[in-house]
Amino acid sequence: MNHNDEYYIERVLQGDHSSYAMLVERHKEMVFTLAYRMLKNREEAEEISQDAFLKAYSSLRKFRKDSKFSTWIYRIVYNMAVSQLRKNKREI
């Protein structure tokens, strides 16, 4: 059965942590693509993608349902990639 993101978010918040895998599966390509386009480095993009999903998972209770989960995770990835770009610039 294919439920919407809100269904899986509610399941996770009720204690079914395995439901988060459905959200990851549904959004992993978009998350990686954004990170890769910004960073132009596969390893950094993979790391940012994983970190973004971990951050979203740990902050899921703060997710306000006035926007879509995809918009929220997109914003997390974007902010993390910008931070990584700034860090890379300082290292040069």
Coordinates of all heavy atoms in Angstrom, one line a residue:
M1 N 0.8 -1.2 0.0 CA 0.0 0.0 0.0 C 0.9 1.2 0.0 O 1.9 1.3 0.7 CB -0.9 0.0 1.2 CG -2.1 0.9 1.1 SD -3.2 0.8 2.5 CE -3.8 -0.8 2.4
N2 N 0.5 2.2 -0.8 CA 1.3 3.4 -0.9 C 0.7 4.6 -0.2 O -0.3 5.2 -0.7 CB 1.5 3.7 -2.4 CG 2.8 4.5 -2.7 OD1 3.6 4.7 -1.8 ND2 3.0 4.8 -3.9
H3 N 1.1 4.9 1.0 CA 0.5 6.0 1.8 C 1.3 7.3 1.5 O 2.4 7.3 1.0 CB 0.6 5.7 3.3 CG -0.2 4.5 3.6 ND1 -1.5 4.5 3.7 CD2 0.2 3.2 3.9 CE1 -2.0 3.3 4.1 NE2 -0.9 2.5 4.2
N4 N 0.7 8.4 2.0 CA 1.4 9.7 1.8 C 2.4 9.9 3.0 O 2.4 9.1 3.9 CB 0.4 10.9 1.8 CG -0.4 11.0 3.1 OD1 -0.1 10.4 4.1 ND2 -1.5 11.7 3.0
D5 N 3.3 10.9 2.8 CA 4.3 11.1 3.8 C 3.8 11.3 5.2 O 4.4 10.8 6.2 CB 5.2 12.3 3.4 CG 6.0 12.1 2.1 OD1 6.1 10.9 1.7 OD2 6.5 13.0 1.6
E6 N 2.7 12.0 5.3 CA 2.1 12.3 6.7 C 1.8 11.0 7.4 O 2.0 10.9 8.6 CB 0.9 13.2 6.6 CG 1.2 14.6 6.1 CD 1.4 14.7 4.6 OE1 0.9 13.9 3.8 OE2 2.2 15.7 4.3
Y7 N 1.3 10.0 6.7 CA 1.0 8.7 7.3 C 2.3 8.1 7.9 O 2.2 7.7 9.1 CB 0.5 7.8 6.2 CG 0.3 6.3 6.7 CD1 -0.8 6.0 7.5 CD2 1.3 5.4 6.5 CE1 -0.9 4.6 7.9 CE2 1.2 4.1 6.9 CZ 0.1 3.7 7.6 OH -0.1 2.4 8.1
Y8 N 3.4 8.1 7.2 CA 4.6 7.5 7.7 C 5.2 8.4 8.9 O 5.8 7.8 9.8 CB 5.6 7.3 6.6 CG 5.2 6.3 5.6 CD1 4.8 6.6 4.3 CD2 5.1 5.0 6.0 CE1 4.4 5.7 3.4 CE2 4.6 4.0 5.1 CZ 4.3 4.4 3.8 OH 3.8 3.4 2.9
I9 N 5.1 9.7 8.8 CA 5.6 10.5 9.8 C 4.8 10.2 11.1 O 5.4 10.1 12.2 CB 5.4 12.0 9.5 CG1 6.4 12.4 8.3 CG2 5.6 12.9 10.7 CD1 6.2 13.7 7.7
E10 N 3.5 10.1 11.0 CA 2.7 9.8 12.2 C 3.1 8.4 12.8 O 3.2 8.3 14.0 CB 1.2 9.8 11.9 CG 0.6 11.2 11.8 CD 0.8 12.0 13.1 OE1 0.6 11.4 14.2 OE2 1.2 13.1 13.0
R11 N 3.3 7.5 11.9 CA 3.7 6.1 12.4 C 5.1 6.2 13.1 O 5.2 5.6 14.2 CB 3.9 5.2 11.2 CG 2.7 4.9 10.3 CD 1.8 3.8 10.9 NE 2.6 2.7 11.3 CZ 2.3 1.4 11.1 NH1 1.2 1.1 10.5 NH2 3.1 0.5 11.6
V12 N 6.0 7.0 12.6 CA 7.3 7.1 13.3 C 7.1 7.8 14.7 O 7.6 7.3 15.7 CB 8.3 7.9 12.4 CG1 9.6 8.2 13.2 CG2 8.7 7.2 11.2
L13 N 6.3 8.8 14.7 CA 6.1 9.5 15.9 C 5.3 8.7 17.0 O 5.5 8.9 18.2 CB 5.3 10.8 15.7 CG 6.1 11.9 14.9 CD1 5.2 13.1 14.6 CD2 7.4 12.3 15.6
Q14 N 4.6 7.7 16.5 CA 3.9 6.8 17.4 C 4.8 5.6 17.8 O 4.3 4.7 18.5 CB 2.6 6.2 16.7 CG 1.6 7.3 16.5 CD 0.4 6.8 15.7 OE1 0.3 5.7 15.3 NE2 -0.5 7.7 15.3
G15 N 6.0 5.6 17.3 CA 7.0 4.5 17.8 C 7.4 3.5 16.7 O 8.2 2.7 17.0
D16 N 6.8 3.6 15.6 CA 7.1 2.6 14.5 C 8.3 3.2 13.7 O 8.1 3.8 12.6 CB 5.9 2.4 13.6 CG 6.3 1.4 12.4 OD1 7.3 0.8 12.5 OD2 5.4 1.3 11.5
H17 N 9.5 3.1 14.2 CA 10.7 3.8 13.6 C 11.0 3.2 12.3 O 11.7 3.9 11.5 CB 11.8 3.7 14.6 CG 11.5 4.4 15.9 ND1 11.3 5.7 16.1 CD2 11.3 3.8 17.1 CE1 11.0 6.0 17.3 NE2 10.9 4.9 18.0
S18 N 10.6 2.0 12.0 CA 10.9 1.4 10.7 C 10.2 2.1 9.5 O 10.6 2.0 8.4 CB 10.6 -0.1 10.7 OG 9.2 -0.3 10.9
S19 N 9.1 2.8 9.9 CA 8.3 3.5 8.8 C 9.2 4.7 8.2 O 8.9 5.1 7.1 CB 7.1 4.1 9.4 OG 6.1 3.1 9.7
Y20 N 10.2 5.1 8.9 CA 11.1 6.2 8.4 C 11.8 5.7 7.1 O 12.1 6.5 6.2 CB 12.1 6.6 9.5 CG 12.7 7.9 9.1 CD1 12.0 9.1 9.0 CD2 14.1 8.0 8.7 CE1 12.6 10.3 8.7 CE2 14.7 9.1 8.4 CZ 14.0 10.3 8.3 OH 14.6 11.5 8.0
A21 N 12.0 4.4 7.0 CA 12.7 3.9 5.8 C 11.9 4.2 4.6 O 12.4 4.4 3.5 CB 12.9 2.4 6.0
M22 N 10.5 4.2 4.7 CA 9.7 4.5 3.5 C 9.9 6.0 3.1 O 10.0 6.3 1.9 CB 8.2 4.3 3.8 CG 7.9 2.9 4.0 SD 8.2 1.9 2.6 CE 7.1 2.6 1.4
L23 N 10.1 6.9 4.0 CA 10.4 8.3 3.7 C 11.7 8.4 3.1 O 11.9 9.2 2.1 CB 10.3 9.2 5.0 CG 8.9 9.3 5.6 CD1 9.0 9.9 7.0 CD2 8.0 10.0 4.7
V24 N 12.7 7.7 3.6 CA 14.0 7.8 3.0 C 14.0 7.2 1.6 O 14.5 7.9 0.6 CB 15.0 7.0 3.9 CG1 16.4 6.8 3.1 CG2 15.2 7.6 5.2
E25 N 13.4 6.1 1.4 CA 13.3 5.5 0.1 C 12.6 6.4 -0.9 O 13.0 6.5 -2.1 CB 12.5 4.1 0.2 CG 12.5 3.4 -1.1 CD 13.9 2.9 -1.5 OE1 14.7 2.6 -0.7 OE2 14.1 2.9 -2.8
R26 N 11.6 7.1 -0.5 CA 10.8 7.9 -1.4 C 11.5 9.2 -1.8 O 11.4 9.7 -2.9 CB 9.5 8.3 -0.6 CG 8.5 9.1 -1.5 CD 7.2 9.3 -0.7 NE 6.5 8.1 -0.7 CZ 5.3 7.9 -0.1 NH1 4.8 8.9 0.6 NH2 4.7 6.7 -0.1
H27 N 12.4 9.7 -0.9 CA 13.0 11.0 -1.1 C 14.6 11.0 -1.4 O 15.2 12.0 -1.6 CB 12.7 11.9 0.0 CG 11.3 12.2 0.2 ND1 10.5 13.0 -0.7 CD2 10.4 11.7 1.1 CE1 9.3 13.0 -0.3 NE2 9.1 12.2 0.7
K28 N 15.2 9.8 -1.3 CA 16.6 9.7 -1.3 C 17.2 10.2 -2.7 O 18.3 10.9 -2.6 CB 17.1 8.3 -1.0 CG 16.8 7.3 -2.1 CD 17.3 5.9 -1.7 CE 16.9 4.8 -2.7 NZ 17.3 3.5 -2.3
E29 N 16.6 10.0 -3.8 CA 17.1 10.4 -5.1 C 17.1 12.0 -5.1 O 18.1 12.6 -5.6 CB 16.4 9.8 -6.2 CG 16.7 8.4 -6.5 CD 16.0 7.8 -7.7 OE1 15.9 8.5 -8.7 OE2 15.5 6.7 -7.6
M30 N 16.0 12.6 -4.7 CA 15.9 14.0 -4.8 C 16.9 14.7 -3.8 O 17.6 15.6 -4.2 CB 14.5 14.4 -4.4 CG 14.2 15.9 -4.4 SD 14.5 16.8 -2.8 CE 13.5 16.0 -1.7
V31 N 17.1 14.1 -2.7 CA 18.0 14.6 -1.7 C 19.4 14.5 -2.2 O 20.2 15.5 -2.2 CB 17.9 13.8 -0.3 CG1 19.1 14.1 0.6 CG2 16.6 14.2 0.3
F32 N 19.8 13.4 -2.7 CA 21.2 13.2 -3.3 C 21.4 14.1 -4.5 O 22.5 14.7 -4.6 CB 21.4 11.7 -3.7 CG 22.8 11.6 -4.3 CD1 23.9 11.5 -3.6 CD2 22.9 11.5 -5.7 CE1 25.2 11.4 -4.2 CE2 24.1 11.4 -6.3 CZ 25.3 11.3 -5.6
T33 N 20.4 14.2 -5.4 CA 20.6 15.0 -6.6 C 20.8 16.5 -6.2 O 21.7 17.2 -6.7 CB 19.3 14.9 -7.4 OG1 19.2 13.6 -7.8 CG2 19.5 15.8 -8.7
L34 N 20.1 17.0 -5.2 CA 20.3 18.4 -4.8 C 21.7 18.6 -4.2 O 22.4 19.5 -4.6 CB 19.2 18.8 -3.7 CG 19.5 20.2 -3.1 CD1 19.4 21.3 -4.1 CD2 18.4 20.4 -2.0
A35 N 22.1 17.7 -3.3 CA 23.4 17.8 -2.7 C 24.5 17.7 -3.7 O 25.5 18.4 -3.7 CB 23.6 16.7 -1.6
Y36 N 24.4 16.8 -4.7 CA 25.4 16.6 -5.7 C 25.5 17.8 -6.6 O 26.6 18.2 -7.0 CB 25.1 15.3 -6.5 CG 26.2 15.0 -7.5 CD1 27.4 14.6 -7.1 CD2 26.0 15.2 -8.9 CE1 28.5 14.3 -8.0 CE2 27.0 14.9 -9.8 CZ 28.2 14.5 -9.3 OH 29.2 14.2 -10.2
R37 N 24.4 18.3 -7.0 CA 24.4 19.5 -7.9 C 25.0 20.7 -7.2 O 25.7 21.5 -7.8 CB 22.9 19.9 -8.3 CG 22.4 19.0 -9.3 CD 21.0 19.4 -9.8 NE 20.5 18.5 -10.8 CZ 19.3 18.5 -11.2 NH1 18.4 19.3 -10.6 NH2 18.9 17.6 -12.1
M38 N 24.8 20.8 -5.9 CA 25.4 21.9 -5.2 C 26.9 21.7 -4.9 O 27.7 22.6 -5.0 CB 24.7 22.2 -3.9 CG 23.3 22.7 -4.0 SD 22.5 23.0 -2.5 CE 23.4 24.4 -1.9
L39 N 27.3 20.5 -4.5 CA 28.7 20.2 -4.0 C 29.6 19.7 -5.1 O 30.8 19.9 -5.0 CB 28.6 19.2 -2.9 CG 27.8 19.6 -1.7 CD1 27.6 18.5 -0.7 CD2 28.6 20.8 -1.0
K40 N 29.0 19.2 -6.2 CA 29.8 18.6 -7.3 C 30.8 17.6 -6.9 O 31.9 17.5 -7.4 CB 30.4 19.7 -8.1 CG 29.3 20.6 -8.8 CD 29.9 21.8 -9.5 CE 29.0 22.7 -10.2 NZ 27.7 22.9 -9.5
N41 N 30.5 16.9 -5.8 CA 31.4 15.9 -5.3 C 30.5 14.7 -4.7 O 29.7 14.9 -3.8 CB 32.2 16.5 -4.2 CG 33.1 15.5 -3.5 OD1 32.7 14.5 -2.9 ND2 34.4 15.7 -3.6
R42 N 30.7 13.5 -5.3 CA 29.8 12.4 -5.0 C 29.9 12.0 -3.5 O 28.9 11.8 -2.8 CB 30.2 11.2 -5.9 CG 29.3 10.0 -5.6 CD 29.6 8.9 -6.5 NE 28.8 8.9 -7.8 CZ 27.5 8.8 -7.9 NH1 26.7 8.8 -6.8 NH2 26.8 8.8 -9.0
E43 N 31.1 11.9 -3.0 CA 31.3 11.5 -1.6 C 30.7 12.5 -0.6 O 30.0 12.1 0.3 CB 32.8 11.3 -1.2 CG 33.4 10.1 -1.9 CD 33.7 10.3 -3.4 OE1 33.9 11.5 -3.8 OE2 33.8 9.4 -4.1
E44 N 30.9 13.8 -0.8 CA 30.3 14.8 0.0 C 28.8 14.8 -0.1 O 28.1 15.0 0.9 CB 30.8 16.2 -0.3 CG 32.2 16.4 0.2 CD 32.7 17.9 -0.1 OE1 32.1 18.6 -0.9 OE2 33.8 18.2 0.5
A45 N 28.3 14.6 -1.3 CA 26.8 14.6 -1.5 C 26.2 13.4 -0.8 O 25.1 13.5 -0.2 CB 26.5 14.5 -3.0
E46 N 26.9 12.2 -0.8 CA 26.3 11.1 -0.1 C 26.3 11.3 1.4 O 25.4 11.0 2.1 CB 27.2 9.8 -0.4 CG 26.9 9.3 -1.8 CD 27.9 8.2 -2.3 OE1 28.8 7.9 -1.5 OE2 27.7 7.7 -3.3
E47 N 27.4 11.9 1.9 CA 27.5 12.2 3.3 C 26.4 13.2 3.8 O 25.8 13.0 4.8 CB 28.9 12.7 3.7 CG 29.1 12.9 5.2 CD 30.6 13.2 5.5 OE1 31.5 12.8 4.7 OE2 30.8 13.8 6.5
I48 N 26.3 14.3 3.0 CA 25.3 15.3 3.3 C 23.9 14.7 3.3 O 23.0 14.9 4.2 CB 25.4 16.5 2.4 CG1 26.7 17.3 2.6 CG2 24.1 17.4 2.5 CD1 26.7 18.0 3.9
S49 N 23.6 13.8 2.3 CA 22.3 13.1 2.2 C 22.0 12.3 3.4 O 20.9 12.4 4.0 CB 22.3 12.2 1.0 OG 22.5 13.0 -0.2
Q50 N 23.0 11.5 3.9 CA 22.8 10.7 5.1 C 22.6 11.5 6.3 O 21.7 11.3 7.1 CB 24.0 9.7 5.3 CG 24.1 8.7 4.2 CD 25.3 7.8 4.4 OE1 26.2 8.1 5.3 NE2 25.5 6.8 3.6
D51 N 23.4 12.6 6.4 CA 23.3 13.4 7.6 C 22.0 14.2 7.6 O 21.4 14.4 8.7 CB 24.5 14.4 7.6 CG 25.8 13.8 7.9 OD1 25.8 12.6 8.3 OD2 26.9 14.5 7.7
A52 N 21.5 14.6 6.4 CA 20.2 15.3 6.4 C 19.1 14.4 6.8 O 18.2 14.8 7.6 CB 20.0 15.8 4.9
F53 N 19.1 13.1 6.4 CA 18.0 12.2 6.8 C 18.1 11.9 8.3 O 17.1 11.8 9.0 CB 18.1 10.9 6.0 CG 17.4 11.0 4.7 CD1 18.1 10.8 3.5 CD2 16.0 11.2 4.6 CE1 17.5 10.9 2.3 CE2 15.4 11.3 3.4 CZ 16.1 11.1 2.2
L54 N 19.3 11.8 8.9 CA 19.5 11.7 10.3 C 19.0 12.9 11.1 O 18.3 12.8 12.1 CB 21.0 11.4 10.7 CG 21.5 10.0 10.3 CD1 23.0 10.0 10.5 CD2 20.8 9.0 11.1
K55 N 19.3 14.1 10.5 CA 18.9 15.3 11.2 C 17.3 15.4 11.1 O 16.7 15.8 12.1 CB 19.5 16.5 10.5 CG 19.2 17.8 11.2 CD 20.0 18.9 10.6 CE 19.7 20.2 11.4 NZ 20.7 21.2 11.0
A56 N 16.8 15.1 10.0 CA 15.3 15.1 9.9 C 14.6 14.1 10.8 O 13.6 14.4 11.5 CB 14.9 14.8 8.4
Y57 N 15.2 12.9 10.9 CA 14.7 11.9 11.8 C 14.7 12.4 13.3 O 13.7 12.3 14.0 CB 15.5 10.6 11.7 CG 15.0 9.5 12.6 CD1 13.9 8.8 12.2 CD2 15.6 9.2 13.8 CE1 13.4 7.8 13.1 CE2 15.2 8.2 14.6 CZ 14.1 7.5 14.3 OH 13.6 6.5 15.1
S58 N 15.8 13.0 13.7 CA 15.9 13.4 15.1 C 15.1 14.6 15.4 O 14.7 14.9 16.5 CB 17.4 13.6 15.5 OG 17.9 14.7 14.7
S59 N 14.7 15.4 14.3 CA 13.9 16.6 14.5 C 12.4 16.4 14.0 O 11.7 17.4 13.9 CB 14.5 17.7 13.6 OG 15.8 18.0 14.0
L60 N 12.0 15.2 13.8 CA 10.7 14.9 13.2 C 9.6 15.4 14.1 O 8.6 15.9 13.5 CB 10.5 13.4 13.0 CG 9.6 13.0 11.9 CD1 9.9 13.6 10.6 CD2 9.6 11.4 11.8
R61 N 9.8 15.5 15.4 CA 8.7 16.0 16.2 C 8.5 17.5 16.0 O 7.5 18.1 16.3 CB 9.1 15.8 17.7 CG 9.0 14.3 18.1 CD 8.6 14.1 19.5 NE 8.6 12.7 19.9 CZ 7.5 12.0 19.6 NH1 6.5 12.5 19.1 NH2 7.5 10.7 20.0
K62 N 9.6 18.2 15.5 CA 9.5 19.6 15.2 C 8.9 19.9 13.9 O 8.6 21.1 13.5 CB 10.9 20.3 15.3 CG 11.5 20.2 16.6 CD 12.9 20.7 16.5 CE 13.7 20.5 17.8 NZ 15.1 20.8 17.6
F63 N 8.7 18.9 13.1 CA 8.1 19.1 11.7 C 6.7 19.6 11.8 O 5.8 19.0 12.4 CB 8.2 17.8 10.9 CG 7.5 17.9 9.6 CD1 8.0 18.7 8.6 CD2 6.4 17.1 9.3 CE1 7.3 18.8 7.4 CE2 5.7 17.2 8.1 CZ 6.2 18.0 7.1
R64 N 6.5 20.8 11.2 CA 5.2 21.4 11.2 C 4.5 20.9 9.9 O 5.1 21.1 8.8 CB 5.2 22.9 11.2 CG 5.7 23.4 12.6 CD 5.9 24.9 12.6 NE 7.0 25.1 11.6 CZ 7.3 26.3 11.1 NH1 6.5 27.3 11.4 NH2 8.3 26.4 10.3
K65 N 3.3 20.4 10.0 CA 2.7 19.9 8.8 C 2.1 20.9 7.9 O 1.3 20.6 7.0 CB 1.7 18.8 9.3 CG 2.4 17.7 9.9 CD 1.4 16.8 10.6 CE 2.1 15.7 11.4 NZ 2.7 16.0 12.6
D66 N 2.5 22.2 8.0 CA 2.0 23.2 7.1 C 2.8 23.2 5.8 O 2.4 23.9 4.9 CB 2.0 24.6 7.8 CG 3.4 25.0 8.3 OD1 4.3 24.1 8.4 OD2 3.6 26.2 8.6
S67 N 3.8 22.4 5.7 CA 4.5 22.2 4.5 C 4.7 20.7 4.2 O 4.5 19.9 5.2 CB 5.9 22.9 4.5 OG 6.8 22.3 5.4
K68 N 5.1 20.4 3.0 CA 5.3 18.9 2.8 C 6.6 18.5 3.3 O 7.6 19.3 3.5 CB 5.3 18.7 1.2 CG 3.9 19.0 0.6 CD 3.7 18.5 -0.8 CE 4.9 18.8 -1.7 NZ 4.6 18.5 -3.1
F69 N 6.7 17.2 3.6 CA 8.0 16.6 4.1 C 9.1 16.8 3.1 O 10.2 17.2 3.5 CB 7.8 15.1 4.4 CG 9.1 14.5 4.9 CD1 9.5 14.6 6.2 CD2 9.9 13.7 4.0 CE1 10.7 14.0 6.6 CE2 11.1 13.2 4.4 CZ 11.5 13.3 5.7
S70 N 8.8 16.7 1.8 CA 9.8 16.9 0.8 C 10.4 18.3 0.8 O 11.6 18.5 0.6 CB 9.2 16.6 -0.6 OG 8.1 17.4 -0.9
T71 N 9.6 19.3 1.0 CA 10.0 20.7 1.1 C 10.9 20.8 2.3 O 12.0 21.5 2.3 CB 8.8 21.6 1.2 OG1 8.0 21.4 0.1 CG2 9.3 23.1 1.3
W72 N 10.6 20.2 3.4 CA 11.3 20.3 4.7 C 12.7 19.7 4.5 O 13.7 20.3 4.9 CB 10.5 19.7 5.8 CG 11.1 19.9 7.2 CD1 11.3 21.0 7.8 CD2 11.4 18.8 8.1 NE1 11.8 20.8 9.1 CE2 11.8 19.4 9.3 CE3 11.3 17.4 8.0 CZ2 12.2 18.7 10.4 CZ3 11.7 16.7 9.1 CH2 12.2 17.3 10.3
I73 N 12.7 18.4 4.0 CA 14.0 17.7 3.9 C 14.9 18.4 2.8 O 16.1 18.5 3.0 CB 13.8 16.2 3.6 CG1 15.1 15.5 3.6 CG2 13.2 16.0 2.2 CD1 15.6 15.1 5.0
Y74 N 14.3 19.0 1.8 CA 15.0 19.7 0.7 C 15.7 20.9 1.4 O 16.8 21.2 1.1 CB 14.0 20.2 -0.3 CG 14.5 20.8 -1.6 CD1 14.8 20.0 -2.7 CD2 14.8 22.1 -1.7 CE1 15.3 20.5 -3.8 CE2 15.3 22.7 -2.9 CZ 15.5 21.8 -3.9 OH 16.0 22.4 -5.1
R75 N 15.0 21.6 2.3 CA 15.6 22.8 3.0 C 16.8 22.4 3.9 O 17.8 23.0 3.9 CB 14.5 23.5 3.8 CG 14.9 24.8 4.2 CD 14.6 25.8 3.0 NE 15.2 27.0 3.2 CZ 15.9 27.7 2.3 NH1 16.2 27.2 1.2 NH2 16.4 28.8 2.6
I76 N 16.6 21.3 4.5 CA 17.7 20.7 5.4 C 18.9 20.4 4.6 O 20.0 20.8 4.9 CB 17.2 19.5 6.2 CG1 16.2 19.9 7.2 CG2 18.4 18.8 6.9 CD1 15.5 18.7 7.9
V77 N 18.7 19.7 3.4 CA 19.8 19.4 2.5 C 20.5 20.7 2.0 O 21.7 20.8 2.0 CB 19.4 18.5 1.4 CG1 20.5 18.3 0.4 CG2 18.8 17.2 1.9
Y78 N 19.7 21.6 1.6 CA 20.2 22.8 1.0 C 21.1 23.6 2.1 O 22.2 24.0 1.8 CB 19.0 23.7 0.6 CG 19.5 25.1 0.0 CD1 19.9 25.2 -1.3 CD2 19.5 26.2 0.9 CE1 20.4 26.4 -1.8 CE2 20.0 27.4 0.4 CZ 20.4 27.5 -0.9 OH 20.8 28.7 -1.4
N79 N 20.6 23.7 3.3 CA 21.3 24.4 4.3 C 22.6 23.7 4.7 O 23.7 24.3 4.9 CB 20.5 24.6 5.6 CG 19.4 25.6 5.3 OD1 19.4 26.4 4.5 ND2 18.3 25.5 6.1
M80 N 22.6 22.3 4.7 CA 23.8 21.6 5.0 C 24.8 21.7 3.9 O 26.0 21.8 4.2 CB 23.4 20.1 5.3 CG 22.6 19.9 6.6 SD 22.1 18.2 6.9 CE 23.6 17.6 7.6
A81 N 24.3 21.7 2.7 CA 25.2 21.8 1.5 C 25.9 23.2 1.5 O 27.1 23.3 1.2 CB 24.5 21.6 0.2
V82 N 25.1 24.2 1.8 CA 25.7 25.6 1.8 C 26.8 25.7 2.9 O 27.8 26.2 2.7 CB 24.6 26.6 2.1 CG1 25.2 28.0 2.5 CG2 23.7 26.8 0.8
S83 N 26.5 25.1 4.1 CA 27.5 25.0 5.2 C 28.7 24.3 4.7 O 29.9 24.7 5.0 CB 26.9 24.3 6.4 OG 25.9 25.1 6.9
Q84 N 28.6 23.2 4.0 CA 29.7 22.4 3.5 C 30.5 23.2 2.5 O 31.8 23.2 2.5 CB 29.3 21.1 2.9 CG 30.4 20.2 2.4 CD 31.2 19.7 3.6 OE1 30.7 19.4 4.7 NE2 32.5 19.6 3.4
L85 N 29.8 24.0 1.6 CA 30.5 24.8 0.7 C 31.3 25.9 1.4 O 32.5 26.2 1.0 CB 29.5 25.4 -0.3 CG 28.9 24.5 -1.3 CD1 27.7 25.1 -2.1 CD2 30.0 24.0 -2.3
R86 N 30.8 26.5 2.4 CA 31.5 27.5 3.2 C 32.7 26.9 3.8 O 33.8 27.5 3.8 CB 30.6 28.1 4.2 CG 29.6 29.1 3.7 CD 28.8 29.7 4.8 NE 27.7 30.6 4.2 CZ 26.5 30.5 4.6 NH1 26.1 29.8 5.6 NH2 25.6 31.3 4.0
K87 N 32.5 25.7 4.4 CA 33.7 25.0 5.0 C 34.8 24.7 4.0 O 36.0 24.9 4.3 CB 33.2 23.7 5.7 CG 34.2 22.9 6.4 CD 33.7 21.7 7.0 CE 34.8 20.8 7.5 NZ 34.5 19.4 7.5
N88 N 34.4 24.2 2.9 CA 35.4 23.9 1.8 C 36.1 25.2 1.4 O 37.3 25.1 1.1 CB 34.7 23.3 0.6 CG 34.1 21.9 0.9 OD1 34.4 21.3 1.9 ND2 33.3 21.4 0.0
K89 N 35.4 26.3 1.3 CA 36.0 27.6 0.9 C 37.1 28.0 1.9 O 38.1 28.5 1.5 CB 34.9 28.6 0.8 CG 35.3 29.8 -0.1 CD 34.1 30.7 -0.3 CE 34.2 31.6 -1.5 NZ 33.1 32.4 -1.7
R90 N 36.8 27.8 3.2 CA 37.7 28.2 4.3 C 39.0 27.3 4.2 O 40.1 27.8 4.6 CB 37.1 28.1 5.6 CG 36.3 29.3 6.0 CD 35.8 29.1 7.4 NE 34.7 28.1 7.2 CZ 33.8 27.8 8.0 NH1 33.8 28.3 9.2 NH2 32.9 26.8 7.7
E91 N 38.8 26.1 3.8 CA 39.9 25.1 3.8 C 40.9 25.4 2.7 O 42.0 25.0 2.7 CB 39.4 23.7 3.7 CG 38.7 23.3 5.0 CD 38.1 21.9 4.9 OE1 38.2 21.3 3.8 OE2 37.6 21.4 5.9
I92 N 40.4 26.1 1.6 CA 41.3 26.4 0.5 C 42.3 27.5 0.7 O 42.6 28.1 1.5 CB 40.5 26.8 -0.8 CG1 39.7 25.5 -1.2 CG2 41.3 27.3 -1.9 CD1 38.7 25.7 -2.3

